[in-house]
């Protein structure tokens, strides 16, 4: 995971992420910025959430789970290694931790908890707050290599190959109806998501299925073989639809470029130019 800027300045959906009926599933870590709402449960390797994050379902973390103060989880929290639970967190089900549990004051766990390791009750500086404060200072000082080592140790300390984390920025809303962020959004390949995506800019990689519309202020790119089951609208930007991609709705933009095999099933409204481009594959 690169840290040349604030890690929570972009919605990042890694390759292979699936939005299933009750949970977001990804093979890597899950990072959620403060004051966000995730209407699903989440399943990943390590799960880290800033303060005042609401989860609408169960959290399953194969590794560690860190929930800062005032988080609310509607169902169970199941942790394969260690857990940090900040003060005034509410868990609507049970908390099960295979390793150590570090827990703050006034935590409400409706169905009780179980930890196989040490249990420590204290109120240190929330881990995710410390992490991002420290990272910002390192980046301001130009210590990018040190910052990179810090995040690598956090998310890759089990020796597994690097996997890009699922990153939900601050003040975001993610649900079956819509994914709303005020930052850029990058969606990896082979993803299957439900909900309308609202972001500053949007980039969707190859072979995805997005069951909803895309709306951005700036540029929008739709990768090869991807299907957008809805309209595509940008206020001020251009749209690139790569080869064999398909938009099953209307497209509204400034300039539109359609690569070979790209399709738009609805009405095209372009204030600028509409061009039929050539893919890199055709130039070889």
């Amino acid at each position: 995971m690169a840290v040349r800027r604030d890690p929570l300045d972009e919605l990042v959906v890694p390759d292979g992420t699936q939005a299933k009926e009750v949970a977001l599933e990804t093979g890597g870590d899950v990072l959620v910025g403060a004051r966000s709402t995730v209407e699903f449960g989440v399943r990943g390797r390590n799960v880290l959430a800033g303060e005042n994050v609401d989860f609408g379902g169960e959290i399953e973390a194969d590794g560690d789970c860190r929930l800062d103060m005032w988080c609310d989880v509607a169902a169970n929290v199941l942790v394969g290694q260690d857990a940090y639970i900040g003060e005034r967190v509410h868990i609507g089900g049970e908390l099960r931790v295979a390793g150590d549990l570090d827990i703050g004051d006034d935590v409400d766990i409706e169905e009780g908890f179980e930890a196989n390791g040490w249990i420590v009750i204290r109120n240190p500086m929330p881990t995710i707050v410390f992490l991002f404060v420290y990272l910002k200072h390192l980046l301001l000082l130009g210590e990018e290599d040190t910052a990179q080592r810090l995040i690598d140790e956090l998310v890759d300390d089990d020796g597994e190959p690097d996997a890009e984390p699922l990153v939900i920025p601050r003040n975001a809303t993610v649900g079956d109806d819509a994914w709303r962020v005020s930052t850029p959004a990058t969606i990896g390949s082979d993803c299957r998501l439900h909900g309308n995506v609202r972001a500053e800019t949007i980039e969707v990689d190859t072979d995805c299925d997005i069951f909803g519309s895309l709306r951005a202020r700036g540029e929008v790119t739709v990768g090869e073989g991807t299907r957008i089951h809805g309209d595509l609208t940008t206020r001020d930007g251009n749209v690139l639809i790569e080869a064999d991609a398909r938009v099953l709705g209307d497209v509204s933009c400034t300039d539109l470029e359609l690569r070979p095999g790209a399709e738009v099933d609805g009405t095209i409204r372009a204030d600028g130019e509409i061009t039929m481009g050539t893919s890199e594959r055709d130039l070889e």
Side-chain angles (χ1 to χ4, degrees):
M1 175 183 177
V3 291
R4 294 186 181 275
R5 54 189 176 79
D6 189 329
L8 292 176
D9 275 350
E10 183 176 5
L11 171 67
V12 178
V13 181
D15 296 349
T17 298
Q18 302 285 316
K20 298 191 174 178
E21 184 176 353
V22 296
L24 278 174
E25 295 188 4
T26 185
D29 300 327
V30 180
L31 306 180
V32 185
R35 298 175 299 281
S36 291
T37 299
V38 182
E39 297 175 1
F40 306 99
V42 295
R43 297 170 185 166
R45 188 167 58 181
N46 300 310
V47 178
L48 295 88
E51 64 181 43
N52 203 19
V53 174
D54 289 339
F55 292 92
E58 183 172 272
I59 293 176
E60 292 187 35
D62 294 333
D64 295 345
C65 179
R66 303 170 188 266
L67 304 178
D68 283 346
M69 60 183 70
W70 297 305
C71 283
D72 192 301
V73 184
N76 301 325
V77 176
L78 310 176
V79 185
Q81 295 182 14
D82 300 332
Y84 167 85
I85 308 297
E87 60 182 296
R88 297 181 177 86
V89 167
H90 169 259
I91 297 174
E94 64 176 331
L95 169 64
R96 283 189 283 165
V97 182
D100 299 336
L101 172 61
D102 197 342
I103 191 168
D105 292 334
D106 299 322
V107 172
D108 179 17
I109 305 171
E110 292 190 9
E111 298 183 14
F113 69 90
E114 175 185 342
N116 292 332
W118 293 96
I119 300 175
V120 179
I121 300 175
R122 58 177 177 171
N123 286 313
M125 185 179 189
T127 303
I128 200 166
V129 174
F130 172 79
L131 169 66
F132 289 115
V133 168
Y134 187 35
L135 280 175
K136 281 188 176 181
H137 280 292
L138 289 174
L139 294 173
L140 287 172
L141 292 171
E143 297 288 343
E144 293 179 353
D145 291 342
T146 303
Q148 187 66 63
R149 285 196 299 271
L150 173 64
I151 198 70
D152 287 345
E153 289 176 3
L154 174 69
V155 301
D156 296 316
D157 58 4
D158 56 7
E160 294 183 8
D162 288 353
E164 188 173 26
L166 169 63
V167 180
I168 298 174
R170 303 173 188 86
N171 303 305
T173 299
V174 173
D176 199 50
D177 178 61
W179 298 53
R180 294 188 179 91
V181 300
S182 57
T183 67
T186 301
I187 299 171
S189 62
D190 299 304
C191 294
R192 183 181 177 89
L193 306 181
H194 291 262
N196 304 311
V197 180
R198 306 288 184 258
E200 185 68 25
T201 61
I202 302 173
E203 181 178 350
V204 184
D205 210 332
T206 59
D207 299 317
C208 293
D209 272 302
I210 311 295
F211 293 90
S213 63
L214 304 183
R215 182 180 298 171
R217 293 180 182 272
E219 311 294 312
V220 178
T221 300
V222 178
E224 290 190 17
T226 285
R227 298 291 182 267
I228 307 299
H229 299 260
D231 296 336
L232 192 163
T233 305
T234 173
R235 182 183 299 178
D236 302 311
N238 302 326
V239 170
L240 169 62
I241 303 177
E242 294 279 10
D244 302 318
R246 185 176 181 184
V247 177
L248 287 83
D250 299 338
V251 172
S252 179
C253 59
T254 302
D255 293 341
L256 172 63
E257 182 175 356
L258 295 167
R259 293 284 170 83
E263 298 181 22
V264 176
D265 284 8
T267 301
I268 295 176
R269 301 179 182 88
D271 295 333
E273 297 181 346
I274 300 176
T275 59
M276 300 296 293
T278 303
S279 67
E280 293 182 3
R281 182 174 56 194
D282 293 334
L283 294 174
E284 292 177 352

